[in-house]
Amino acid sequence: PLIRLRHLLLFSEKENLREFIMLNNFTLPLILASTSPARKKLLERLQIPFTIIPSHADETPLPNETPEQLVRRLAELKARTVAAKHPD
């Protein structure tokens, strides 16, 4: 569900991603809605199965949007865009 996906996207970097996924019963494989080489490398290094499905979201910051607001908005936008195309 989107709620779980949103929690995953917003998890603290201090936490162990693999443990976070397992403890929260996320179903694998994961969908990476980004073409970020850094995120791809991270998931590969953690040996977490994933599929890349780019959202092609417009990442232009909104006027007066803080970096934190931008990151949160884009995370949700990308999750919703990909989830709508792949409801399974």
Side-chain angles (χ1 to χ4, degrees), residues 1-64:
L2 189 56
I3 297 292
R4 282 188 178 172
L5 181 56
R6 182 179 171 140
H7 287 292
L8 176 61
L9 291 169
L10 301 177
F11 86 101
S12 165
E13 289 184 15
K14 296 175 185 172
E15 296 183 59
N16 179 307
L17 179 59
R18 187 178 185 82
E19 182 179 336
F20 180 83
I21 290 172
M22 299 305 176
L23 289 176
N24 287 285
N25 297 315
F26 287 101
T27 56
L28 300 177
L30 192 62
I31 294 176
L32 180 60
S34 166
T35 56
S36 164
R39 288 180 181 83
K40 180 180 182 238
K41 229 177 215 182
L42 173 65
L43 293 173
E44 288 172 343
R45 191 170 71 237
L46 294 171
Q47 299 179 346
I48 296 172
F50 67 97
T51 301
I52 297 175
I53 303 175
S55 67
H56 304 294
D58 179 1
E59 298 188 19
T60 306
L62 298 175
N64 301 315

Side-chain angles (χ1 to χ4, degrees), residues 58-73:
D58 179 1
E59 298 188 19
T60 306
L62 298 175
N64 301 315
E65 187 172 41
T66 67
E68 182 179 346
Q69 290 169 329
L70 171 66
V71 169
R72 289 179 180 270
R73 180 178 61 80

